[in-house]
Amino acid sequence: MSPCKDETPGILRTMQILGIETSCDETAAAVVKDGREVVSSVVSSSLAATQRYGGVVPEVAARKQAEYMVPVLRQALGDISPSEIDAVAVTQGPGLIGSLLVGVAAAQSLSYAWQKPLIPVNHLLAHLYAPLVSGGVFTFPVLGLVVSGGHTLLVLLRSHTNIELVSETRDDAAGECFDKCARVLGFPYPGGPDIAQLASTLSGTSSLSLPQPLASEDTLDFSFSGLKTAFLRAHGEGRTAGELAYALQEAIVAVLARKTERALQQTGARMIVVGGGVSANARLRDVFEEVFKEHVLFPPPSLSTDNAVVVAARAFYSGSSGSWDNVSADPSLPL
Ligand code: KG4
Ligand code: ZN
């Protein structure tokens, strides 16, 4: 959807979208103008309630979504009246079904009551729109790398509406590999940031190197479960936590960079955009900026993890807009 033309020729009316995100354990709402100007953004996480279980517990996450949804919406809307909202956007999937249902039901209710269009958004694509909010510009074709706790994939955007999956992981996601290995070292969920912190204390080199699964093979697919096994083996051999964290991060970042570089050559994309929680990793940013220079865009750190700003931003460009009764939650929504 592009900015709507005002009756006066040549004058563009701004478009204000309310975004709602509830795919996992964050309950988020945001109001965004024209896909790039953040009017308000609220994120409430149920992580603390599930951390002692060592990961997200779907039933607990869904109950917390239901508890937080209305207060989060109230706070995000503040003094904004429904007449100032042009459309409601919501994460349709992929994600946890119980969590998704809360956001979709809330969005449907508002869309119906306010008589505004409802725009369904794919959570993975939404992650790729974070850089646009901080002033970034897409030069198509764009190669998107989504690296989150549940997904690792490459996607080609020929335009905002012509989008194709390039490759994905055959087993674990990169974030999942960080989290599972962090758990072995005794860190709470999600352990990605702890691994990154520990690895940074061992700047320079380490005698330990872990395998880079599929890195030198022709495929653009990813695989991280073998790396987790190698990590466990090295841990059993008595390697220090610092060595293990450093080697793990190096292996994951190297695989991501290699596959992205190969995909860039094969697709002829003109730039790369990285999204998802793992995009907060400083080493990943350094390596990508070294390899791809000014051709790579990263989200601002505050928009790396789950939020509703990117939902409203993606909705603005998605070109799809429908009725409240035409959207349903889909836990395994394809691209
Ligand atoms: O996108 P996200 O917030 O949630 C999902 O949709 O999955 O991603 C969460 C993932 C977790 O696996 C977490 O460990 C990882 O992002 N993560 C990191 C860092 N910050 C978050 N992984 C490595 N280094 C980081 N600095
Ligand atoms: Zn996410």
Side-chain angles (χ1 to χ4, degrees), residues 23-24 26 123 127 147-151 174-176 178-179 189-193 196 249 276-282 304-306:
S23 66
C24 189
E26 267 95 20
H123 177 77
H127 270 303
V147 268
S148 69
H151 295 87
E176 191 178 356
F178 269 117
D179 296 338
Y189 173 87
Q249 179 174 264
V278 180
S279 71
N281 185 278
S304 292
T305 48
D306 291 346

Side-chain angles (χ1 to χ4, degrees), residues 86-105:
D86 297 289
V88 179
V90 67
T91 301
Q92 184 183 13
L96 302 171
I97 184 62
S99 291
L100 288 168
L101 281 169
V102 174
V104 169

